[in-house]
């Protein structure tokens, strides 16, 4: 055994090196609960040191973890949802914190599902405890179909008609209503809506329209701009409104990033926030507290979201089909209140 590394290392070799039985080595490599963590760590170290072909035997998570979760971002408008978006970074951080509390590991997958077959691939080709999908994108029907299989998954997103799968998300309708009603109470009469076409943004748009009606304000389709997740898309939308001479004195952004892009564009055109235009965002990211002016926003509780998402995977039988998290209006400088 002096030159174990010169040939293909076997289970028998590792057993002799560790001074244990072959069955103990096999169980240790598969993270069996009856084998002590110390023994597992010793055998895994020997396996690496002696080039044992252990990939096929790797556990779902580092030894001692109670489980593992895979985070997946579906395609949206032909490309993966951008993980660089500050809100998703904060949500990922809170998923990670919730997983840590449960002694669970999580990974962000390279897979970006665009079809039902991709969803199956994401949920069946690892030994993880389950999958968290960040957003439904346009895959509501495919996720409903996936729910009829044995796949364990949960979605961060909206509650949609006919939904069969479990999802967790904020009360988007109430959030959009609350943001718009706040600007109406401040005397704003021409309120623009800058947002995407994903399910959550569309629910916020419905809230926007509801609040306009309740305030006796006319809905003007010219004040509604469809944008992508990027800052540049929001800036282009606001720039377009200004260049076309469309009058507005308020903006609802369906994310803080969109609202911050709007503020930056207004400044380039000589418009002052909040004197000329009041702006409200959505998310309450750290950036919203640090901007100038500080951003009024609708808060989503990402800490509770992380806890519920992780719990849905690790305790799949203890939850309802949908958890709608309450939203809160956080008033800062950008609305002029």
């Amino acid at each position: 055994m002096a030159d174990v590394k010169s040939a293909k290392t076997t289970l028998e070799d590792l057993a002799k090196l560790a001074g244990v039985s072959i069955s103990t080595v096999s169980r240790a490599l598969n993270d069996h609960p009856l084998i002590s963590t110390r023994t597992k760590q010793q055998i895994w170290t020997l396996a690496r040191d002696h080039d044992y072909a252990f990939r096929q035997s790797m556990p779902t998570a580092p030894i001692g973890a109670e489980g593992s979760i895979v985070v997946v971002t579906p395609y949206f408008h032909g490309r993966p949802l951008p993980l660089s978006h500050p809100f998703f970074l904060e949500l990922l951080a809170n998923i990670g914190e919730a997983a840590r509390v449960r002694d669970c590991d999580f990974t962000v997958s390279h897979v970006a599902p665009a079809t039902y077959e991709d969803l199956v691939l994401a949920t069946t080709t690892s030994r993880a405890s389950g999958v968290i999908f960040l957003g439904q994108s346009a895959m509501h029907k495919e996720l409903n179909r996936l729910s009829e299989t044995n796949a364990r998954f949960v979605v961060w997103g909206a509650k949609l008609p006919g939904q069969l799968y479990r999802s967790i998300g904020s009360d988007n309708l109430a959030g959009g209503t609350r943001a718009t009603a706040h600007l109406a109470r401040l005397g704003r009469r021409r309120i623009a809506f800058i947002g995407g076409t994903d399910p959550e943004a569309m629910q916020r748009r419905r809230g926007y329209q509801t609040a306009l009606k309740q305030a006796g304000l006319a809905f003007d389709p010219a004040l509604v701009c469809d944008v992508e997740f990027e800052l540049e898309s929001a800036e282009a939308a606001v720039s377009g409104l200004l260049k076309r001479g469309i009058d507005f004195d308020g903006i609802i952004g369906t994310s803080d990033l969109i609202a911050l892009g709007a503020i930056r564009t207004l400044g380039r055109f000589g418009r002052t926030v909040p004197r000329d235009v009041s702006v409200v965002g959505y998310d309450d990211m750290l950036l919203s507290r640090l901007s100038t002016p500080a951003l009024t926003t609708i808060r989503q509780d990402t800490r509770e979201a992380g806890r519920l998402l992780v719990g849905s995977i690790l305790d799949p039988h203890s939850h309802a089909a949908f958890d709608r998290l309450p939203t809160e209006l956080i008033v800062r400088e950008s609305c002029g209140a």
Side-chain angles (χ1 to χ4, degrees), residues 20-21 39 44-45 48 54 77 84 121-122 154 231-232 236 261 269 297 306 313 323 332:
V20 297
S21 68
T39 299
W44 274 92
T45 299
R48 289 191 176 90
F54 56 79
H77 286 178
S84 59
L121 180 71
V154 62
L231 184 72
E232 295 77 13
F269 279 79
T297 185
I313 298 300
D323 271 306
R332 299 194 181 100

Side-chain angles (χ1 to χ4, degrees), residues 22-167:
I22 294 174
S23 62
T24 296
V25 171
S26 178
R27 289 176 177 177
L29 291 174
N30 285 283
D31 202 15
H32 196 284
L34 294 180
I35 307 300
S36 71
T37 298
R38 184 174 181 179
T39 299
K40 292 174 185 176
Q41 291 171 341
Q42 177 195 12
I43 290 171
W44 274 92
T45 299
L46 287 169
R48 289 191 176 90
D49 288 347
H50 294 274
D51 295 333
Y52 178 72
F54 56 79
R55 282 285 176 183
Q56 69 274 19
S57 303
M58 290 181 74
T60 58
I63 289 169
E66 295 298 320
S68 68
I69 293 172
V70 176
V71 178
V72 174
T73 56
Y75 264 77
F76 184 71
H77 286 178
R79 54 182 171 174
L81 194 70
L83 282 174
S84 59
H85 192 290
F87 172 74
F88 290 111
L89 289 176
E90 291 192 13
L91 182 56
L92 277 173
N94 282 290
I95 290 172
E97 292 296 337
R100 177 182 289 170
V101 169
R102 299 292 300 269
D103 293 325
C104 178
D105 283 282
F106 84 102
T107 58
V108 179
S109 176
H110 72 283
V111 175
T115 66
Y116 172 72
E117 289 71 24
D118 292 340
L119 293 178
V120 173
L121 180 71
T123 53
T124 61
T125 56
S126 77
R127 292 196 288 160
S129 306
V131 173
I132 296 173
F133 292 105
L134 296 187
Q136 291 133 313
S137 183
M139 304 193 72
H140 175 56
K141 292 181 179 179
E142 289 80 2
L143 288 165
N144 263 349
R145 184 179 172 191
L146 186 68
S147 70
E148 298 173 349
T149 71
N150 293 325
R152 184 179 295 182
F153 70 96
V154 62
V155 176
W156 166 261
K159 182 180 181 181
L160 301 176
Q163 183 171 313
L164 303 177
Y165 53 89
R166 174 159 169 72
S167 67

Side-chain angles (χ1 to χ4, degrees), residues 253-264:
T254 55
S255 74
D256 286 348
L257 195 64
I258 287 173
L260 292 173
I263 290 174
R264 192 162 78 163

Side-chain angles (χ1 to χ4, degrees), residues 16-17 31 67 74 112 121 131 143 162 285 291 299 305-306 321 327:
K16 290 178 181 178
L17 288 165
D31 202 15
L121 180 71
V131 173
L143 288 165
M285 304 181 310
S291 66
R299 181 175 182 265
T327 55

Side-chain angles (χ1 to χ4, degrees), residues 241-319:
L241 289 175
L242 293 167
K243 289 178 179 178
R244 293 195 303 273
I246 296 176
D247 181 47
F248 60 93
D249 55 10
I251 289 178
I252 303 296
T254 55
S255 74
D256 286 348
L257 195 64
I258 287 173
L260 292 173
I263 290 174
R264 192 162 78 163
T265 301
L266 289 167
R268 287 203 296 264
F269 279 79
R271 303 290 182 93
T272 302
V273 176
R275 187 188 65 195
D276 299 323
V277 182
S278 292
V279 179
V280 179
Y282 202 109
D283 288 334
D284 193 27
M285 304 181 310
L286 176 60
L287 289 175
S288 69
R289 287 160 255 171
L290 302 178
S291 66
T292 303
L295 182 64
T296 295
T297 185
I298 298 294
R299 181 175 182 265
Q300 297 196 86
D301 191 345
T302 55
R303 178 176 296 182
E304 179 66 3
R307 188 187 70 81
L308 289 172
L309 288 165
V310 170
S312 296
I313 298 300
L314 300 183
D315 309 309
H317 303 298
S318 60
H319 301 281

Side-chain angles (χ1 to χ4, degrees), residues 3-27:
D3 191 19
V4 172
K5 296 176 71 173
S6 63
K8 184 177 180 180
T9 304
T10 65
L11 287 176
E12 291 84 352
D13 296 329
L14 294 178
K16 290 178 181 178
L17 288 165
V20 297
S21 68
I22 294 174
S23 62
T24 296
V25 171
S26 178
R27 289 176 177 177

